[in-house]
């Protein structure tokens, strides 16, 4: 109490510190970065290796297995999963916690070295999860001539935007590019005794620029340059090719032509390719909003310079807008919540001075929180703002309890200073204990493994900072202001008990006078708890909620080996489906490896007809129907694409044929589960290959060798990009191709090959055997398995999870074969187990804090008896509102553990104080209830009022805020009402009664005050 006395007597110091907090808090608000989701480096990596049209089995043998073996040798690699397809290998690696950044460098080095070891690898991508941001600002150039738009994009947009310090890079997709095709004539090659390698060598020698030496004796010692660089198509046609009889021109043995690059425009807008997509990425040290502002300012300058002639430049998606919308929405909710909390205070206190004093603690606590967040180097994002929003209602709890206690002491006739000291001392222990119990529940959050844990820790830290800030303000600002400014409505008069208080006293008196009544009350609540358990299966469940920002990103996974025509047809089908959905405004589709990545914009503002959740479901359902008629494997949101489809089951075993049989039986039973759609089996997807079978006797008789045959066939399919030439400011690739490339089996077998006996058909020396090869080979830690995947419609993940788990439990498999969950189902199961463990540890930590406070092993158990009953309120709240039970609402339940105990602590703490003063158990319980009922209702209603806007939130971040706030509000409201009845019943049942002694009088209280001042 000496500290409180010092604070009250040093009001100038408190005032100056408040000014400092205002300055630091205001400064930090402007300095904090703004982003949707915080960028964190995660303990995982993603690798994608492209290998042309190499078969899946060859990719597995040459690329996937060797890489897996090397990575498994790295200490700290927790697990590897891979998917091998035709021409590609995708690996996902999980590292030990905290070692992600360090181990990723080793993995990246292994992958890069693999490119030089395997000639068939064309491209390698290695990324750490949560690493550098992708592209977050999209524009398009459309409505004009493709040649003009390409020049504008390459010569104006790309260089000007990349000059901006906020922009990392600009990617142009769909620009008109050309290639120089040199199509060799085989007959002419044979006539001159040439082979393709000789022709390529002469072309490379002709396209050279180099420094040959230096004329050192001349002035300035000029260097001697050789320059025969190719600059136009005639230069290429006139390249001299050396033969045994002399030189000939290239055009004599090849057809030379300049053509549009085939694969340069795999991007579509509303089904058409006549546009250019611009993707802009930011540097790591700027926010999305800063980059967007810089880009828009530069675009404004370009428009003012009248460089847009005959075409349009449109924004497609700017992530910054959704960031601002989400954060501004949460800001508004926080402000509304603060106003609601103050109104509730005014209604309860009916005292402007007291309301002003407590109301002042809200901005003081908020600014102190912002300053601390800035010092922690956090950003303003959905998680930190939700943490602040959840804390806004609880910010005044400590202040309310302290001010209420001071106010009562003033009503009892104590002087201003005495009322502050005695009132603060009376509740100090309960306030500190309440704060600690709320904070310690977050300590086990760090046990949540993987990527999700990092986000949840950040949310927990912000809530803890908010509560600590509010307690600091409560113990400094509130006593100082209360001593100086707070006045009584009716000095020295104690108000009479109202009807509500009298009724409550009668109920509690009736309950605690007989132990059997206490037992009846406890049993009735336990029955309610058991009954509420039957509602859990009726609550929708997911891992992380969706984010609604009036656009969505989808990944349409296609069958491998699609031709250009197949892709065009599929994109048109996608566009037709999307055009038939209300609220879909535009769509962009671009090729992304073995999938089509799509950005779908929706109507906004007054044009909105349906909620985004409904539109999302319609889009997915519509596009998934293409699986029946088009080469589509699956359709899913881009956010979920890295994890695969929500329902994944892995079947492991040695024999592929047995695995196939097991998978077919399992799929039949899986199809019977309601809500399962789009089932696919990784081993079912096969492609046809033609295996070359040699005829050794015929080859030997013709004087040929196997190597000569192989080279002849390779040259028939020759297509090699090998040089670049600069023409009109464009770097044009030079490709050499075989003339008359065979397109069918018969065309290949009818090719003429020179032998010692003259030309003969290739069919004399080989035959083709048709075989089926798997398109998809999956590994987990190097072991093959079959993956059965499916999507869900019109049911939540939790409900499907329960049915799939039951199917797995009842499904019989042969020995040495296993069926197990994977994907979202496995992750949901792991998260549920993590949350149960976190819940148990949080309960123990709460018990530890209260056992220390009460110095009693039994009283904490009495307080904690309210926790199971609180779950009834949570279940009812989520069931009635049909909010999803996700990691966010789970966090709300963990947070609720600490919050609901505050009221019980206040009640028990006051009861113990009264018993120490000589009251019997029964009288102490009744009196404690009457003393604490007002602060209990005030703190509860201000907390609920502060969180109410979050629970009702919609828009971008509504799905993140609402479930958590709903869980807390419903649980807290129910628990508050129950606390006032259940806690006295439990306390009375497990506490020995004692006779009432004479209460302390006013003289004794004054004597205690005098002792404290000494």
């Amino acid at each position: 109490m000496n500290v409180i006395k010092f604070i009250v007597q040093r009001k100038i110091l408190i005032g100056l510190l408040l000014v400092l907090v205002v300055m630091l808090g205001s400064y930090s608000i402007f300095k904090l970065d703004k982003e949707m989701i915080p960028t964190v480096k995660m303990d995982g990596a993603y690798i994608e290796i492209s290998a042309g049209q190499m078969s899946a089995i060859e990719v597995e043998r040459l690329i996937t297995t060797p890489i897996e073996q090397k990575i498994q040798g790295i200490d700290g690699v927790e697990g590897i999963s891979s998917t091998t397809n035709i021409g590609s290998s995708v690996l996902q690696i999980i590292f030990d916690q905290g070692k992600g950044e360090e181990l990723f460098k080793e993995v990246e080095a292994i992958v890069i070295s693999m490119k030089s070891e395997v000639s068939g690898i064309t491209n390698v991508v290695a990324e750490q999860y949560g690493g550098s941001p992708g592209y977050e600002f999209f524009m398009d150039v459309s409505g004009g001539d493709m040649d003009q738009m390409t020049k504008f994009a390459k010569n104006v947009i790309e260089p000007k935007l990349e000059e901006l310090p906020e922009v990392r890079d600009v990617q142009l997709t769909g620009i008109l590019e050309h290639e120089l095709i040199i199509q060799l004539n085989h007959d002419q090659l044979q006539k001159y005794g040439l082979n393709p390698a000789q022709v390529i060598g002469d072309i490379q020698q002709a396209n050279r620029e180099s420094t040959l030496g230096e004329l050192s004796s001349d002035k300035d010692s000029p260097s001697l340059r050789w320059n025969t660089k190719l600059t136009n198509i005639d230069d290429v046609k006139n390249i001299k090719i050396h033969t045994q009889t002399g030189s000939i021109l290239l055009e004599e043995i090849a057809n030379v032509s300049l053509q549009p690059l085939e694969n340069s425009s795999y991007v579509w807008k509303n089904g058409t390719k006549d546009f250019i997509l611009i993707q802009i990425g930011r540097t790591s040290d700027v926010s999305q909003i800063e980059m967007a502002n810089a880009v828009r300012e530069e675009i404004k300058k370009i428009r003012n310079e009248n460089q847009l002639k005959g075409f349009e430049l449109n924004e497609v998606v700017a992530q910054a807008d959704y960031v601002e919308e989400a954060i501004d929405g949460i800001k508004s909710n926080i402000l509304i919540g603060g106003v609601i909390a103050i109104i509730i205070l005014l209604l309860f206190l009916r005292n402007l001075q007291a309301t002003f004093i407590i109301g002042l603690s809200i901005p003081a606590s908020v600014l102190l929180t912002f300053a601390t967040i800035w010092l922690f180097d956090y950003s303003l994002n959905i998680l930190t703002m939700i943490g602040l929003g959840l804390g806004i209602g609880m910010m005044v709890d400590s202040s309310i309890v302290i001010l209420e206690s001071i106010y009562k002491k003033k009503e009892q006739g104590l002087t201003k200073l005495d009322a502050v000291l005695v009132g603060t001392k009376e509740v100090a222990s309960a306030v500190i204990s309440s704060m600690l119990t709320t904070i310690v529940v977050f300590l086990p959050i760090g046990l949540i493994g993987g990527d999700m844990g990092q986000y949840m820790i950040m949310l927990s830290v912000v809530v803890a900072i908010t509560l600590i800030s509010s307690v600091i303000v409560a113990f400094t600002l509130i006593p100082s202001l209360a001593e100086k400014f707070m006045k009584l409505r009716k000095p020295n008069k104690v108000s009479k008990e109202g009807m509500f208080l009298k009724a409550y006293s009668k109920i509690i008196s009736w309950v605690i006078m007989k132990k059997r009544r206490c037992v009846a009350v406890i049993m009735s609540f336990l029955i309610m708890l058991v009954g509420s358990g039957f509602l859990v299966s009726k609550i929708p469940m997911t891992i992380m909620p969706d984010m609604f920002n009036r656009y969505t990103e989808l990944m349409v996974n296609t069958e491998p080996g699609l031709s250009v025509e197949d892709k065009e047809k599929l994109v048109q089908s996608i566009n037709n489906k999307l055009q038939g959905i209300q609220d879909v405004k535009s769509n962009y589709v671009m090729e992304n490896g073995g999938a089509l990545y799509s950005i779908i914009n929706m109507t906004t503002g007054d044009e909105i007809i349906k909620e985004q959740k409904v539109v999302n479901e319609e889009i997915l359902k519509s596009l998934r129907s293409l699986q029946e008629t088009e080469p589509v494997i699956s359709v899913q949101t881009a956010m979920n694409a890295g994890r695969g489809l929500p329902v994944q089951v892995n079947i492991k075993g040695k024999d592929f044929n047995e695995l196939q049989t097991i998978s077919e039986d399992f799929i039949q039973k899986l199809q019977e589960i309601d809500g399962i759609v789009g089932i696919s089996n990784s081993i079912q997807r096969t492609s046809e290959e033609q295996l070359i079978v040699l005829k050794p006797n015929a080859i030997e008789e013709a004087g040929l060798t196997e190597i000569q045959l192989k080279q002849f066939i390779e040259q028939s399919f020759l297509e090699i990009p090998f040089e670049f030439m600069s023409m009109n400011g464009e770097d044009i690739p030079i490709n050499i191709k075989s003339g008359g490339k065979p397109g069918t089996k018969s065309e290949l077998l009818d090719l003429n090959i020179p032998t010692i006996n003259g030309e003969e058909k290739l069919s004399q020396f080989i035959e083709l055997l048709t075989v089926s090869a798997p398109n998809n080979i999956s590994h987990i830690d190097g072991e093959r398995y079959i993956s059965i995947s499916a999507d869900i419609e019109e049911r939540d993940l939790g409900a499907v999870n329960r049915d799939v788990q039951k199917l797995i439990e009842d499904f019989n498999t042969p020995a040495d074969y296993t069926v197990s969950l994977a994907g979202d189902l496995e992750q949901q199961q792991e998260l549920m187990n993590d949350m149960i463990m976190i819940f148990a540890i949080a309960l123990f930590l709460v018990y530890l804090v209260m056992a220390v406070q009460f110095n009693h092993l039994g009283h904490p158990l009495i307080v904690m008896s309210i926790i199971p009953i609180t779950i009834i309120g949570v279940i009812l709240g989520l069931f009635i509102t049909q909010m999803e039970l996700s990691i966010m609402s789970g966090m709300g339940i963990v947070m609720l553990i600490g919050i609901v105990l505050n009221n019980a602590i206040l009640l028990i703490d006051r009861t113990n104080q009264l018993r120490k003063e000589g009251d019997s158990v029964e009288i102490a319980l009744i009196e404690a209830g009457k003393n604490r009922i007002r602060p209990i209702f005030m703190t509860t209603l201000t907390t609920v009022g502060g969180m109410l806007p979050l629970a009702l939130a919609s828009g971008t971040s509504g799905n993140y805020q609402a479930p958590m706030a709903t869980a807390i509000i419903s649980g807290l409201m129910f628990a508050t009402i129950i606390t006032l009845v259940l806690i006295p019943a439990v306390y009375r049942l497990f506490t020995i009664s004692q006779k009432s002694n004479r209460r302390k009088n006013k003289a004794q209280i004054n004597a205690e005050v005098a002792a404290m001042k000494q």
Side-chain angles (χ1 to χ4, degrees):
M1 285 302 104
N2 289 333
V3 175
I4 299 298
K5 183 179 178 182
F6 174 82
I7 289 171
V8 172
Q9 293 177 342
R10 298 292 188 278
K11 295 183 181 65
I12 292 178
L13 173 63
I14 300 303
L16 292 174
L17 288 174
L18 180 62
V19 172
L20 179 63
V21 167
V22 171
M23 292 171 63
L24 282 175
S26 303
Y27 176 76
S28 63
I29 290 173
F30 293 103
K31 294 297 290 182
L32 287 168
D33 289 337
K34 293 180 180 179
E35 53 188 348
M36 185 76 78
I37 296 291
T39 302
V40 296
K41 290 290 180 76
M42 300 175 182
D43 296 317
Y46 170 86
I47 296 169
E48 183 173 0
I49 300 173
S50 302
Q53 291 299 310
M54 190 183 295
S55 69
I57 290 179
E58 283 294 292
V59 173
E60 180 193 37
R61 182 176 65 85
L62 297 175
I63 300 172
T64 305
T65 300
I67 285 183
E68 285 177 337
Q69 291 171 348
K70 289 180 181 180
I71 293 175
Q72 282 174 333
I74 299 175
D75 185 31
V77 172
E78 190 175 306
I80 305 174
S81 63
S82 67
T83 302
T84 304
N85 298 299
I86 295 176
S88 73
S89 176
V90 177
L91 295 92
Q92 295 179 347
I93 305 160
I94 304 299
F95 303 121
D96 288 345
Q97 194 164 356
K99 294 185 178 180
E101 197 161 355
E102 171 192 347
L103 297 180
F104 172 71
K105 294 176 182 177
E106 294 186 47
V107 170
E108 188 177 28
I110 290 172
V111 175
I112 291 172
S113 67
M114 181 62 70
K115 187 174 183 181
S116 60
E117 295 173 9
V118 181
S119 59
I121 293 178
T122 58
N123 188 44
V124 171
V125 175
E127 295 178 356
Q128 184 180 354
Y129 289 134
S132 58
Y135 296 103
E136 298 162 319
F137 197 105
F138 299 83
M139 295 188 295
D140 76 52
V141 184
S142 57
D145 177 71
M146 281 300 298
D147 189 50
Q148 289 184 347
M149 292 191 299
T150 295
K151 289 178 181 177
F152 170 75
K154 292 181 69 175
N155 301 331
V156 179
I157 288 290
E158 187 176 23
K160 283 185 176 292
L161 294 185
E162 287 191 338
E163 286 176 3
L164 299 174
E166 295 85 358
V167 173
R168 183 186 75 248
D169 71 307
V170 176
Q171 179 173 312
L172 305 177
T173 307
I175 58 176
L176 184 62
E177 294 180 300
H178 296 86
E179 63 177 344
L180 191 75
I181 302 295
I182 301 173
Q183 194 161 29
L184 298 175
N185 185 314
H186 277 289
D187 292 337
Q188 290 297 100
L189 287 177
Q190 289 179 9
K191 175 183 175 182
Y192 290 103
L194 294 170
N195 61 52
Q198 291 173 287
V199 176
I200 291 172
D202 285 344
I203 296 172
Q204 288 175 326
Q205 287 298 321
N207 189 33
R208 283 288 174 265
E209 181 180 11
S210 59
T211 301
L212 304 182
E214 185 180 275
L215 302 175
S216 56
S217 298
D218 286 350
K219 184 180 178 182
D220 298 329
S221 300
S223 57
L224 189 63
R225 299 280 297 165
W226 177 275
N227 186 2
T228 57
K229 294 287 287 182
L230 303 171
T231 58
N232 56 61
I233 192 170
D234 290 330
D235 287 348
V236 179
K237 289 180 179 179
N238 294 325
I239 292 174
K240 291 185 177 180
I241 306 298
H242 298 89
T243 70
Q244 294 176 352
T245 58
S247 297
I248 60 172
L249 298 179
L250 177 62
E251 64 179 347
E252 296 181 46
I253 58 170
N255 179 34
V256 182
S257 61
L258 188 67
Q259 299 178 8
L261 196 61
E262 274 188 11
N263 61 353
S264 66
S265 186
Y266 282 172
V267 59
W268 296 263
K269 175 184 179 181
N270 297 331
T272 178
K273 295 171 72 174
D274 297 331
F275 82 107
I276 297 168
L277 183 67
I278 303 169
Q279 302 176 77
I280 306 166
R282 63 184 165 105
T283 54
S284 58
D285 57 344
V286 301
S287 68
Q288 295 160 317
I289 295 172
E290 289 171 330
M291 182 193 73
N293 291 338
V295 169
R296 283 168 174 160
E297 189 63 32
E298 189 63 33
I299 295 299
K300 186 178 179 181
K301 291 179 183 177
I302 292 172
R303 292 184 188 279
N304 292 337
E305 292 169 2
N306 293 321
Q307 297 198 50
L308 292 172
K309 296 180 179 178
F311 49 83
E312 300 174 352
L313 179 60
N314 306 303
E315 278 193 20
V316 178
V317 171
Q319 290 279 0
D321 295 341
Y322 304 118
V323 173
E324 282 196 300
E325 180 187 338
I327 293 178
D328 289 345
I330 300 175
K331 279 183 185 176
S332 300
N333 293 337
I334 291 173
L335 290 173
I336 295 169
V339 171
I340 292 173
I342 291 172
I343 292 172
I344 292 170
L345 287 174
L346 186 59
L347 292 174
F348 268 93
L349 296 174
R350 287 172 292 172
N351 185 311
L352 287 175
Q353 291 95 339
T355 304
F356 172 77
I357 291 169
I358 295 179
L360 193 63
S361 68
I362 294 178
S365 301
V366 169
L367 289 171
L368 183 57
T369 301
F370 273 124
T372 312
I373 289 174
W374 176 57
L375 293 173
F376 271 66
D377 199 26
Y378 284 172
S379 62
L380 280 184
N381 53 66
I382 284 182
L383 295 177
T384 53
M385 293 300 288
I386 288 176
L388 189 60
L390 293 172
I392 198 75
M394 296 183 287
M395 278 181 177
V396 294
D397 287 2
S398 300
S399 299
I400 288 171
V401 173
I402 290 175
L403 190 69
E404 171 75 11
S405 183
I406 294 172
Y407 193 86
K408 283 202 169 187
K409 296 308 171 189
K410 279 196 172 186
E411 285 183 328
Q412 292 176 8
L414 300 183
T415 63
K416 290 182 178 180
L417 181 59
D418 295 344
V420 169
L421 295 176
V422 175
T424 305
K425 178 188 176 184
E426 186 177 282
V427 296
S429 176
V431 168
I432 293 172
S433 180
S434 298
M435 176 198 69
L436 290 176
T437 53
T438 307
I439 291 175
V440 295
V441 297
F442 295 118
L443 295 182
I445 295 297
L447 296 176
I448 296 181
D451 315 333
M452 209 68 68
Q454 296 190 55
Y455 292 124
M456 294 304 102
I457 289 171
M458 184 176 294
L459 177 63
S460 305
V461 169
V462 173
V463 175
I465 290 171
T466 303
L467 294 178
I468 294 171
S469 300
S470 68
V471 170
I472 292 172
V473 169
F475 276 107
T476 54
L477 191 64
I478 298 302
S480 300
L481 294 176
E483 195 270 342
K484 184 71 175 176
F485 298 108
M486 192 171 70
K487 297 178 182 179
L488 299 176
R489 293 193 305 274
K490 295 180 181 180
N492 301 322
K493 288 186 179 180
V494 180
S495 58
K496 295 181 180 179
E497 290 184 0
M499 290 179 61
F500 178 79
L501 209 54
K502 287 180 180 179
Y504 172 71
S505 299
K506 288 180 180 179
I507 293 171
I508 296 302
S509 300
W510 181 83
V511 170
I512 63 176
M513 287 305 169
K514 300 286 185 181
K515 284 194 174 184
R516 65 173 180 272
R517 295 173 185 167
C518 296
V519 173
V521 168
I522 295 169
M523 290 304 298
S524 63
F525 287 129
L526 289 177
I527 292 169
M528 290 175 64
L529 177 62
V530 173
S532 66
F534 293 103
L535 296 177
V536 173
S537 61
K538 308 294 183 183
I539 299 173
M541 294 184 186
T542 187
I543 295 174
M544 280 295 283
D546 293 328
M547 195 173 293
F548 295 146
N549 40 26
R550 299 307 293 177
Y551 94 101
T552 188
E553 299 175 36
L554 297 181
M555 197 69 77
V556 180
N557 296 305
T558 62
E559 294 178 4
L562 294 186
S563 65
V564 177
E565 292 76 16
D566 291 336
K567 290 174 186 173
E568 288 279 2
K569 181 173 177 291
L570 176 56
V571 170
Q572 293 303 323
S573 299
I574 290 172
N575 180 61
N576 292 338
K577 291 286 186 182
L578 293 175
Q579 293 294 332
I581 298 173
Q582 278 186 320
D583 282 282
V584 170
K585 195 171 184 179
S586 62
N587 70 85
Y588 296 80
V589 179
M590 64 195 80
E591 190 177 31
N592 183 21
L596 295 174
Y597 167 72
S598 178
I599 298 174
I600 301 170
N601 284 323
M602 302 177 194
T603 53
T604 57
D606 295 336
E607 298 178 353
I608 295 175
I609 299 173
K610 298 178 182 177
E611 293 183 1
Q612 184 170 344
K613 184 177 181 180
V614 176
V615 181
N616 284 353
E617 290 172 354
E618 287 186 10
I619 290 172
L620 285 171
K621 189 171 183 178
S622 179
L623 294 186
R624 282 171 185 156
S625 67
L626 293 174
Q627 291 175 248
E628 301 173 4
T629 57
E630 303 289 344
V632 174
I633 296 172
S634 64
V635 181
Q636 57 195 127
T637 60
M639 184 179 290
N640 294 331
R643 300 199 304 262
L645 290 170
V647 177
Q648 292 183 57
V649 177
N650 294 340
I651 304 177
K652 291 184 182 179
K654 296 179 180 179
D655 184 64
F656 256 172
N657 292 328
E658 185 65 35
L659 286 173
Q660 180 73 24
T661 303
I662 296 171
S663 67
E664 289 172 358
D665 292 341
F666 189 86
I667 287 173
Q668 285 183 356
K669 295 183 181 299
L670 191 64
Q671 288 172 336
E672 298 173 5
I673 296 178
D674 187 32
I676 294 283
V677 295
I679 301 174
S680 62
N681 180 352
S682 61
I683 203 172
Q684 284 180 337
R685 295 193 291 272
T686 59
S687 60
E688 185 179 284
E689 288 186 350
Q690 297 297 323
L691 183 65
I692 297 173
V693 180
L694 301 177
K695 300 177 180 179
N697 293 334
I699 293 171
E700 187 176 347
E701 289 175 4
L704 296 173
T705 65
E706 293 180 3
I707 294 176
Q708 285 176 314
L709 272 174
K710 182 173 179 289
Q711 289 176 341
F712 178 82
I713 295 172
E714 283 178 341
Q715 289 176 11
S716 300
F717 290 92
L718 182 69
E719 188 169 343
I720 305 174
F722 67 99
E723 281 285 318
F724 283 89
M725 62 178 285
S726 180
M727 188 168 71
N728 299 326
E730 181 182 352
D731 287 332
I732 297 175
I734 300 175
N735 284 336
I736 192 163
K737 295 184 178 182
S738 172
K741 184 170 92 171
T744 64
K745 286 174 21 178
S746 59
E747 288 179 2
L748 174 64
L749 294 173
D750 286 342
L751 289 177
N752 292 320
I753 181 171
T755 70
I756 58 173
N757 303 319
E759 290 189 349
E760 296 186 46
K761 298 287 185 184
L762 186 61
S763 58
Q764 299 296 317
F765 310 107
I766 67 168
E767 59 183 0
L768 300 178
L769 179 64
T770 302
V771 295
S772 293
N775 289 348
N776 181 294
I777 303 171
S778 303
H779 289 187
I780 289 182
D781 295 331
E783 182 182 355
R784 275 184 175 184
Y785 71 95
I786 288 181
S787 175
I788 296 174
S789 304
D791 220 322
I792 57 176
E793 275 184 7
E794 299 178 358
R795 285 190 81 192
D796 65 278
L797 186 62
V800 172
N801 190 358
R802 288 187 290 272
D803 290 345
V804 174
Q805 283 193 67
K806 189 175 186 308
L807 171 58
I808 292 174
E809 290 169 4
D810 298 340
F811 190 77
N812 294 320
T813 57
D816 299 326
Y817 290 83
T818 60
V819 180
S820 60
L821 284 176
D824 282 3
L825 295 182
E826 183 184 32
Q827 188 176 0
Q828 186 186 57
Q829 192 69 38
E830 290 174 354
L831 283 173
M832 287 177 66
N833 294 335
D834 286 344
M835 292 303 291
I836 291 171
M837 178 60 69
I838 288 167
F839 195 80
I841 295 174
L843 289 176
F844 175 77
L845 292 175
V846 167
Y847 176 83
L848 180 66
V849 170
M850 290 190 294
V852 172
Q853 181 210 350
F854 294 128
N855 195 26
H856 195 284
L857 294 175
H859 289 168
L861 295 176
I862 297 172
V863 174
M864 294 172 69
S865 65
I866 194 64
I867 292 175
I869 307 304
T870 303
I871 303 300
I872 301 173
V874 174
I875 293 172
L876 287 173
L878 294 177
F879 171 73
I880 292 169
T881 61
Q882 282 298 289
M883 292 286 182
E884 293 175 331
L885 182 58
S886 64
I887 191 71
M888 298 303 290
S889 49
M891 280 292 295
I893 295 171
V894 172
M895 191 184 301
L896 190 60
I897 296 174
I899 298 173
V900 297
L901 295 178
N902 295 349
N903 294 334
I905 289 172
L906 283 174
L907 203 57
I908 298 296
D909 184 70
R910 182 57 181 157
T911 302
N912 290 340
Q913 287 177 4
L914 292 171
R915 290 188 67 193
K916 286 178 183 178
E917 293 174 1
D919 284 351
S920 67
V921 175
E922 294 83 358
I923 294 175
L925 285 170
I926 296 169
E927 192 66 23
K930 292 196 295 185
N931 291 348
R932 292 290 180 254
I933 194 168
R934 192 164 78 151
I936 283 174
F937 271 111
M938 285 172 66
T939 54
T940 297
L941 291 176
T942 52
T943 301
V944 169
M947 293 184 186
L948 191 60
L950 273 69
L952 300 175
S954 58
T956 301
S957 59
N959 258 24
Y960 277 68
Q961 304 172 59
M964 183 183 287
T966 300
I968 294 175
I969 289 173
S970 58
L972 184 57
M973 288 291 288
F974 188 83
T976 299
I977 297 169
I978 302 306
T979 296
L980 295 169
V981 178
L982 180 64
I983 293 298
V986 176
Y987 192 101
R988 172 68 183 85
L989 189 62
F990 295 101
T991 307
I992 300 171
S993 298
Q994 66 183 38
K995 292 183 178 180
S996 175
N997 297 325
R998 185 173 56 86
R999 298 289 305 278
K1000 291 183 181 180
N1001 56 32
K1002 183 178 175 182
Q1004 287 175 305
I1005 295 174
N1006 289 331
E1008 284 189 3
V1009 173
M1012 281 192 299
K1013 290 182 178 180
Q1014 292 177 355

